[in-house]
Amino acid sequence: METTRAKTPKQRQVVFLTILLLLGEAGTEAIRYSMPEETESGYLVANLAKDLGLKVGELATRGARIHHRGNKELLQLDAESGNLFLKEKLDREELCGATEPCMLHFQLILKNPVQFFQTDLQLTDINDHSPEFPNREMLLTIPESAQPGTVFPLKAAQDPDIGSNAVQNYTVSPNLHFHVVTHSRADGRKYPELVLDRALDREEQPELTLTLTGVDGGSPPRSGTTTVRVEVVDINDNAPQFVQSLYEVQVPENSPLDALVLTVSARDLDVGPYGNVAYSLFQGGEVSQPFVIDQVTGEIHLSRELDFEVTNHYNIEIAAKDGGGLSSKCTVAVQVLDVNDNAPELTISTLTSPIPENSPETVIAVFSVFDLDSGDNGRMVCSIQNDLPFLLKSTFENYYTLVTEGPLDRESRSEYNITITVSDMGTPRLTTQHIITVQVSDVNDNAPAFTQSSYTLFVQENNSPALHIGTISATDLDSGFNAHITYSLLPTHDPQLPLSSLISINADNGQLFALRALDYEALQSFEFLVGATDQGSPALSSQVLVRVLVLDANDNAPFVLYPLQNASAPCTELLPRAAEPGYLVTKVVAVDRDSGQNAWLSFQLLKATEPGLFNVWAHNGEVRTSRLLSERDAPKHRLLLLVKDNGDPPRSASVTLHVLLVDGFSQPFLPLPEVVRDPAQDNEDLLTLYLVIALASVSSLFLLSVLLFVGVRLCRRARAASLGGCSVPEGHFSGHLVDISGAGTLSQSYQYEVCLTGDSGSTDFNFLKPVIPSNLTPDTYMLNS
């Protein structure tokens, strides 16, 4: 297929050749283009998208790139249109030298998926160089005995162009003695020889000056000239002869300077000055070739270092000239042997970093390797560390892709340093290493985790509103927004728990605050759930149970259950005058709504009418007599008791008891109202009061005696009928019910039953065991007196 485009005034043509090649693993087509050298930059080479059968814009979406060995950008690809342009002028002689054809190899790399296309650009030669002789003047010494038809070798002109644009013909200026014959070497290069047409006569013309012209085959042709000066000498009829016309030798490229390459030898049958042979490099030696020759011995030495990668073969022409001017030449073919002196080269084409975690097989990098050496020295092996989750895959010729072996976990490792090692197979092996740093980006794959499985917080009751009571903390192994945690209170399933009015939480740091004062007696503990949600997409969350325990404060004073302090009439206890010391007069019953040591109650007698007559047991509130009663003791006593808890600071309540001394239980119980004594009252009023009291006492004693007599008689009859049983009154004393929610001085409800014995000589109260009615709850205390 051939496509012609008029892009320059010279109407140059670009020949487009498409060749299907099976390229091993890649399995792509190699596209070959041809264009002349020195074409102006910006020249449209071809439309790759059209040639590859791709849609317009597909090259851009797939990240198309042109890669050339050595990374020198010679071509430019317009990914949007698919046009391939020339980026700069290309000089075939600079890029390829004498190599023919001159082929530049490019690779088109596509991503998503990774795909390679081989592109070859062949540069055709144009006639942009004129032939040039090594010297501006050549000297020939020809004996006058030379016969017509004798051939004299001449130095060839150098032309960097190749093919038909190289030197094709030599001419000499018109003269009577010589003409030029053009010959071809084995490699196709032309060289001139001067042929004698007419015998020379030194006496007639000792020197001739000729102009030698070399003409190439370009269009239009170019030419170069040099001057040939011919000196006619006396007769010398034997020219030197080399032992071999062709010498072949192999030299390692790492040979040191001045190393001996080869020794050539030529013999001359003449004697004297005409038999002395001098050796020289025939083709202008030192400038173009790294060799020197000893003129006397014919030893060829290295004048500079060899490089197999630059030139792997040399043809040296050696001239041998005797003293009479006769000469001959031979060819030395030097083969440069490759040495492993070039380490492999690695070029990264694409690199992707960072890569998201949890992704399946992902292409990290695409790179190529190259070694300037040949054979085993140029064969390479690529590897990475074995302990990394990555794989190397060979894709196309010396191209490799670095891919992940499986999903990565950023929380386990967020960065990888991958060392790509490229080693050749030479001896010794040369190695190149390239380190790629791959960052792993975060994906929201970890829910927040609380630092504790559950939280227990303690709050003192009666706290101030907005009090900080604790902090809930959660961590997230992710990073960035995926690790930013927001805290919230989750709805409770208990409709009786107004959580929103009790607790609030700081959404940013998880600090919990009590919105109002808590009351231990109303709410001792409560539970709720706190949620932690990250800011990832989708968001992940977790929850934890928080238990709040309200600590009791001593904010309740003791409450007296018995005797009642709020009754309209004071409660009076009866005390027989015959009571023994330690006689139980009554028991003060009190409770405290607090708990713990705040509810531990102690009792204390603060004030009494007779200070030494009564005492109070500190731990149970029992009021007992301290001594025997006497006739001199007042009939009525007033006791002031203090009930105090064990809190800090302690709280207390006072109890007032009225005790009436009686001779027996038959004496009527006549509670007297409390008389307020006026210190200013005169003696007459006081005497009247005493008379009234005495009259009431006598009447009461009489009535009590009658009642006791009747009671004793009835008790004896009942005991005889029931084998000694004790009669118990049907009715109970008035009681008082109080609901409490703590441990007070009473651990259970008590019901006291009083039994009056009819056959005993004493009239004491008998306190029997407590009776707990079945219809009462443990929180109800009943006191019957």
Side-chain angles (χ1 to χ4, degrees):
M1 178 178 180
E2 181 176 341
T3 304
T4 304
R5 297 180 177 86
K7 301 298 289 187
T8 63
K10 295 182 180 181
Q11 299 294 323
R12 296 176 180 173
Q13 296 181 350
V14 175
V15 179
F16 163 71
L17 300 175
T18 303
I19 302 173
L20 281 175
L21 300 176
L22 295 177
L23 298 176
E25 293 179 21
T28 59
E29 297 179 345
I31 304 175
R32 178 169 296 177
Y33 300 94
S34 177
M35 63 177 291
E37 65 173 331
E38 299 298 333
T39 302
E40 294 294 330
S41 61
Y43 182 84
L44 175 62
V45 178
N47 188 289
L48 283 181
K50 179 180 178 181
D51 296 340
L52 296 175
L54 301 177
K55 297 179 181 179
V56 176
E58 187 174 354
L59 292 178
T61 59
R62 295 183 63 184
R65 292 185 57 192
I66 290 293
H67 176 73
H68 176 254
R69 179 179 300 169
N71 295 327
K72 186 176 182 181
E73 295 183 1
L74 303 179
L75 299 177
Q76 183 175 358
L77 175 63
D78 186 352
E80 296 294 336
S81 64
N83 290 331
L84 184 64
F85 297 95
L86 189 63
K87 192 170 185 180
E88 63 183 38
K89 282 186 179 183
L90 302 181
D91 187 356
R92 190 202 65 80
E93 289 74 20
E94 178 183 351
L95 295 174
C96 300
T99 303
E100 179 63 20
C102 179
M103 197 70 68
L104 303 180
H105 303 286
F106 301 86
Q107 289 80 34
L108 175 64
I109 305 174
L110 302 181
K111 297 187 294 186
N112 301 322
V114 176
Q115 193 173 4
F116 299 84
F117 295 91
Q118 179 68 41
T119 305
D120 298 335
L121 178 61
Q122 181 179 353
L123 292 180
T124 58
D125 185 54
I126 64 173
N127 191 24
D128 57 343
H129 294 87
S130 298
E132 184 177 354
F133 289 90
N135 306 105
R136 299 182 61 181
E137 181 180 288
M138 288 187 287
L139 176 63
L140 290 180
T141 56
I142 303 176
E144 59 181 350
S145 60
Q147 298 295 319
T150 303
V151 176
F152 302 95
L154 299 175
K155 294 181 179 180
Q158 305 294 322
D159 192 339
D161 296 326
I162 60 172
S164 61
N165 294 325
V167 178
Q168 298 295 320
N169 187 33
Y170 292 91
T171 60
V172 69
S173 58
N175 63 91
L176 298 177
H177 296 278
F178 300 95
H179 73 275
V180 172
V181 178
T182 304
H183 296 282
S184 297
R185 294 192 177 94
D187 57 0
R189 291 185 297 172
K190 308 293 185 179
Y191 66 94
E193 287 186 342
L194 191 64
V195 180
L196 183 62
D197 293 331
R198 179 180 176 186
L200 298 173
D201 187 359
R202 180 182 178 280
E203 286 71 24
E204 180 181 349
Q205 190 176 4
E207 183 176 301
L208 289 85
T209 300
L210 307 175
T211 299
L212 179 64
T213 303
V215 182
D216 62 22
S219 178
R222 291 174 176 263
S223 62
T225 60
T226 186
T227 299
V228 179
R229 187 163 57 90
V230 179
E231 290 183 355
V232 182
V233 297
D234 288 338
I235 187 170
N236 179 23
D237 55 348
N238 288 288
Q241 296 294 325
F242 283 95
V243 176
Q244 297 176 225
S245 61
L246 176 64
Y247 291 85
E248 294 181 347
V249 65
Q250 294 179 338
V251 182
E253 65 173 328
N254 62 346
S255 298
L257 294 178
D258 202 37
L260 177 63
V261 178
L262 183 69
T263 300
V264 297
S265 177
R267 293 178 298 172
D268 195 331
L269 297 177
D270 295 329
V271 295
Y274 297 127
N276 295 330
V277 178
Y279 301 94
S280 65
L281 295 177
F282 183 71
Q283 196 63 38
E286 296 78 13
V287 176
S288 60
Q289 295 177 343
F291 304 98
V292 293
I293 190 170
D294 189 286
Q295 294 184 0
V296 178
T297 63
E299 293 179 349
I300 302 175
H301 294 266
L302 282 178
S303 61
R304 65 174 184 266
E305 293 179 351
L306 301 177
D307 191 352
F308 174 86
E309 289 71 32
V310 177
T311 305
N312 59 9
H313 186 272
Y314 294 92
N315 284 320
I316 310 171
E317 291 184 343
I318 306 298
K321 181 184 294 185
D322 61 12
L326 296 180
S327 63
S328 64
K329 66 177 181 177
C330 70
T331 302
V332 177
V334 179
Q335 180 66 42
V336 181
L337 299 180
D338 185 40
V339 175
N340 192 25
D341 57 346
N342 290 281
E345 299 175 5
L346 186 147
T347 303
I348 299 293
S349 299
T350 61
L351 176 61
T352 303
S353 181
I355 59 174
E357 64 174 333
N358 299 334
S359 298
E361 181 176 309
T362 304
V363 176
I364 305 299
V366 177
F367 62 93
S368 61
V369 294
F370 176 73
D371 196 318
L372 292 173
D373 296 320
S374 62
D376 289 339
N377 298 331
R379 285 200 292 270
M380 294 162 290
V381 176
C382 242
S383 64
I384 60 175
Q385 305 100 303
N386 293 327
D387 57 344
L388 297 181
F390 299 94
L391 295 175
L392 277 180
K393 292 186 177 181
S394 177
T395 54
F396 172 75
E397 291 186 352
N398 289 330
Y399 277 87
Y400 292 85
T401 56
L402 177 65
V403 299
T404 58
E405 189 175 14
L408 303 179
D409 186 7
R410 188 203 67 83
E411 287 71 33
S412 299
R413 189 169 179 179
S414 61
E415 181 180 288
Y416 293 87
N417 289 321
I418 306 171
T419 301
I420 303 176
T421 303
V422 186
S423 301
D424 58 28
M425 304 300 292
T427 302
R429 287 192 172 191
L430 298 180
T431 299
T432 297
Q433 290 186 337
H434 188 86
I435 298 177
I436 295 176
T437 300
V438 177
Q439 304 284 345
V440 182
S441 60
D442 186 49
V443 173
N444 192 26
D445 58 347
N446 289 278
F450 288 94
T451 56
Q452 300 179 26
S453 58
S454 64
Y455 290 83
T456 301
L457 305 178
F458 299 91
V459 184
Q460 191 79 25
E461 68 171 329
N462 304 323
N463 58 283
S464 60
L467 175 67
H468 176 227
I469 63 175
T471 301
I472 307 302
S473 178
T475 59
D476 197 314
L477 295 177
D478 297 319
S479 63
F481 283 103
N482 296 332
H484 188 271
I485 298 175
T486 301
Y487 300 90
S488 62
L489 296 178
L490 300 183
T492 178
H493 299 292
D494 187 359
Q496 298 181 355
L497 181 63
L499 184 62
S500 60
S501 64
L502 291 176
I503 299 296
S504 70
I505 190 169
N506 189 312
D508 295 326
N509 55 26
Q511 292 182 346
L512 290 172
F513 300 89
L515 297 180
R516 59 181 176 86
L518 300 178
D519 186 2
Y520 173 83
E521 288 72 34
L523 182 63
Q524 298 181 4
S525 66
F526 58 93
E527 296 178 348
F528 56 92
L529 294 176
V530 172
T533 305
D534 59 29
Q535 301 299 312
S537 179
L540 300 179
S541 63
S542 59
Q543 60 186 23
V544 69
L545 177 66
V546 180
R547 181 180 297 105
V548 177
L549 300 180
V550 182
L551 301 179
D552 182 45
N554 192 25
D555 57 344
N556 291 281
F559 181 80
V560 179
L561 299 177
Y562 182 84
L564 296 176
Q565 298 298 299
N566 56 354
S568 58
C571 179
T572 302
E573 301 292 339
L574 300 179
L575 174 62
R577 287 185 177 273
E580 298 291 332
Y583 179 83
L584 177 62
V585 177
T586 187
K587 181 175 182 177
V588 178
V589 180
V591 294
D592 195 315
R593 295 184 63 190
D594 296 321
S595 66
Q597 67 178 9
N598 295 329
W600 296 350
L601 302 182
S602 61
F603 301 85
Q604 181 182 357
L605 180 60
L606 294 180
K607 185 177 180 182
T609 304
E610 293 288 342
L613 181 57
F614 301 96
N615 64 63
V616 179
W617 287 22
H619 298 295
N620 57 14
E622 293 180 351
V623 180
R624 296 179 182 271
T625 58
S626 301
R627 60 178 175 81
L628 289 173
L629 298 174
S630 65
E631 293 297 333
R632 291 179 299 177
D633 291 328
K636 184 178 181 182
H637 295 266
R638 182 175 179 271
L639 306 180
L640 180 61
L641 281 74
L642 180 67
V643 183
K644 183 173 63 174
D645 60 26
N646 197 35
D648 184 20
R651 291 179 176 266
S652 62
S654 61
V655 181
T656 301
L657 293 177
H658 295 274
V659 180
L660 182 62
L661 302 183
V662 295
D663 292 333
F665 282 105
S666 60
Q667 184 178 358
F669 172 61
L670 297 175
L672 297 177
E674 187 76 21
V675 178
V676 179
R677 298 183 179 182
D678 187 4
Q681 188 178 13
D682 57 346
N683 295 332
E684 293 181 357
D685 293 336
L686 184 61
L687 180 60
T688 302
L689 177 62
Y690 287 158
L691 291 175
V692 173
I693 292 174
L695 179 60
S697 300
V698 172
S699 300
S700 298
L701 288 174
F702 175 77
L703 182 60
L704 180 60
S705 299
V706 174
L707 291 176
L708 286 177
F709 176 78
V710 175
V712 169
R713 298 292 294 178
L714 292 176
C715 186
R716 286 179 178 178
R717 291 181 182 179
R719 182 180 301 158
S722 60
L723 299 178
C726 177
S727 62
V728 180
E730 292 294 332
H732 298 282
F733 292 98
S734 62
H736 180 66
L737 300 179
V738 178
D739 292 333
I740 61 173
S741 58
T745 56
L746 292 180
S747 60
Q748 57 181 339
S749 299
Y750 289 91
Q751 174 178 324
Y752 293 93
E753 297 184 357
V754 179
C755 178
L756 301 178
T757 60
D759 57 347
S760 65
S762 65
T763 58
D764 296 342
F765 284 93
N766 291 330
F767 290 88
L768 305 181
K769 65 181 179 179
V771 177
I772 302 176
S774 60
N775 60 344
L776 296 180
T777 62
D779 294 333
T780 305
Y781 293 85
M782 173 176 284
L783 178 64
N784 296 288
S785 59

